[in-house]
Amino acid sequence: QVQLVESGGGLVQPGGSLRLSCAASGSILSMNTMGWYRQAPGKQRELVADISRGGSTNYADSVKGRFTISRDNAKKTVYLQMNSLKPEDTAVYFCHCVLVKVGGSVWDDYWGQGTQVTVSS
């Protein structure tokens, strides 16, 4: 089985910072794109940022200049450093990874369970 386990969410004041981590474990042969999505109440899940295996990054316009995504391939972990947080960043943040399992031959999508980020004074 493959698991993505997120950590680092919580309550922070506007202008504050949080760092999310997501570690993948299990029978993983290879990992491709890793990323973070978020879903606010009553809204659709949206891409926040993603990063390729080679390190190329992509950000939603709403977080450019404030959030930084990175990954450690040896640790099978992706990070999201969130600075200058705003109330509108409040959402459940989900880790996502495209990977192929040991013994498999198809790239597939995997999701973490989500971690709550609340920005409020």
Side-chain angles (χ1 to χ4, degrees):
Q1 291 284 35
V2 173
Q3 278 191 313
L4 301 182
V5 179
E6 301 119 331
S7 61
L11 173 64
V12 64
Q13 292 187 340
S17 298
L18 282 175
R19 188 190 195 211
L20 305 182
S21 300
C22 172
S25 63
S27 301
I28 299 169
L29 179 63
S30 184
M31 301 173 69
N32 201 336
T33 300
M34 303 182 78
W36 292 92
Y37 287 71
R38 67 186 180 187
Q39 188 167 18
K43 294 188 176 181
Q44 289 189 331
R45 190 173 297 190
E46 62 176 2
L47 174 69
V48 176
D50 61 25
I51 182 167
S52 71
R53 184 167 46 189
S56 296
T57 58
N58 177 45
Y59 294 93
D61 287 343
S62 59
V63 307
K64 282 181 181 176
R66 300 188 297 122
F67 291 10
T68 302
I69 190 170
S70 61
R71 65 189 285 172
D72 184 329
N73 291 330
K75 294 182 178 180
K76 298 185 176 66
T77 299
V78 62
Y79 307 95
L80 186 68
Q81 177 66 44
M82 305 185 293
N83 298 328
S84 303
L85 282 160
K86 305 175 180 180
E88 51 263 44
D89 295 317
T90 296
V92 178
Y93 284 69
F94 296 90
C95 175
H96 171 257
C97 181
V98 179
L99 61 85
V100 60
K101 296 197 302 184
V102 172
S105 59
V106 178
W107 294 99
D108 210 348
D109 294 279
Y110 287 84
W111 294 89
Q113 80 285 356
T115 185
Q116 177 70 44
V117 171
T118 302
V119 185
S120 175
S121 54

